[in-house]
Amino acid sequence: MAGDVLASGLEPLPFIDEAFGVVLLRHALETTARQDNLLDEAIRVLEPGGMIAITGIHPLGLWSPWVARQSDSARPRLTWPWWWSQRLVRDDFELSMPRRLGSAWPRAGGATVGESLIGGGYLLVARKKRPAAVPLRPRAAVVPAPVPGTFASGARRHARDHIS
């Protein structure tokens, strides 16, 4: 599993903000109890202009009951690609249309991998928009230093003015 990070959505990902150009959530959102937290973290580590790809089992396919029967522990939380599309639009992403992929029903061998109108899975791809204004680096300004030997404001010029 070189390059994969296993995360539960309960804790932050161990990366700095905007560290990656591509983030792939491969069946990750359906296996965590904290789907929104995991997506928030994926968005945080994605750089502006970067791509996020989300795959999952489509809830209206014949795969969903099969996946529910196959899971040993918690039942997967299958969500609509439309749900993630709306969430990403709200978070300022440009979307491509979600695609249905794979065969319509589970079978032992020879399952199609390509796009299908009734495929059991989906793929959603989106690009994080860049900020509208790019902050510029401030230019170093030359500030003149006060000339030595001048009086501070409020100082008296003659010492005899102080003598009474």
Side-chain angles (χ1 to χ4, degrees), residues 4-15 25 28 31-33 38 41:
D4 289 353
V5 174
L6 300 178
S8 68
L10 299 175
E11 67 274 345
L13 293 173
F15 305 109
L25 296 176
T31 59
T32 183
L38 184 56
E41 281 298 297

Side-chain angles (χ1 to χ4, degrees), residues 144-160:
V147 178
T150 60
F151 290 105
S153 63
R156 298 203 172 143
R157 293 191 178 271
H158 302 287
R160 66 184 165 162

Side-chain angles (χ1 to χ4, degrees), residues 79-151:
T79 52
W80 295 87
W82 176 85
W83 171 261
W84 300 124
S85 298
Q86 296 304 307
R87 167 70 197 281
L88 290 170
V89 166
R90 224 179 23 242
D91 287 339
D92 215 20
F93 277 75
E94 296 171 355
L95 295 174
S96 67
M97 288 299 295
R99 308 250 189 246
R100 295 280 299 259
L101 302 172
S103 65
W105 59 84
R107 52 185 167 178
T112 60
V113 179
E115 191 172 345
S116 166
L117 290 175
I118 56 173
Y122 65 85
L123 170 66
L124 175 65
V125 179
R127 180 181 301 275
K128 189 176 188 179
K129 291 182 182 176
R130 296 187 186 275
V134 177
L136 300 175
R137 230 184 269 179
R139 202 179 302 191
V142 177
V143 178
V147 178
T150 60
F151 290 105

Side-chain angles (χ1 to χ4, degrees), residues 52-93:
I52 187 168
I54 300 172
T55 65
I57 302 293
H58 201 285
L60 269 189
L62 296 174
W63 280 85
S64 55
W66 181 83
V67 168
R69 278 195 314 266
Q70 297 298 319
S71 61
D72 295 333
S73 56
R75 184 179 179 150
R77 298 180 62 199
L78 305 181
T79 52
W80 295 87
W82 176 85
W83 171 261
W84 300 124
S85 298
Q86 296 304 307
R87 167 70 197 281
L88 290 170
V89 166
R90 224 179 23 242
D91 287 339
D92 215 20
F93 277 75

Side-chain angles (χ1 to χ4, degrees), residues 13-34:
L13 293 173
F15 305 109
I16 62 171
D17 294 354
E18 300 176 351
F20 298 101
V22 176
V23 173
L24 171 61
L25 296 176
R26 186 177 50 186
H27 298 284
L29 294 174
E30 59 202 28
T31 59
T32 183
R34 304 283 176 101

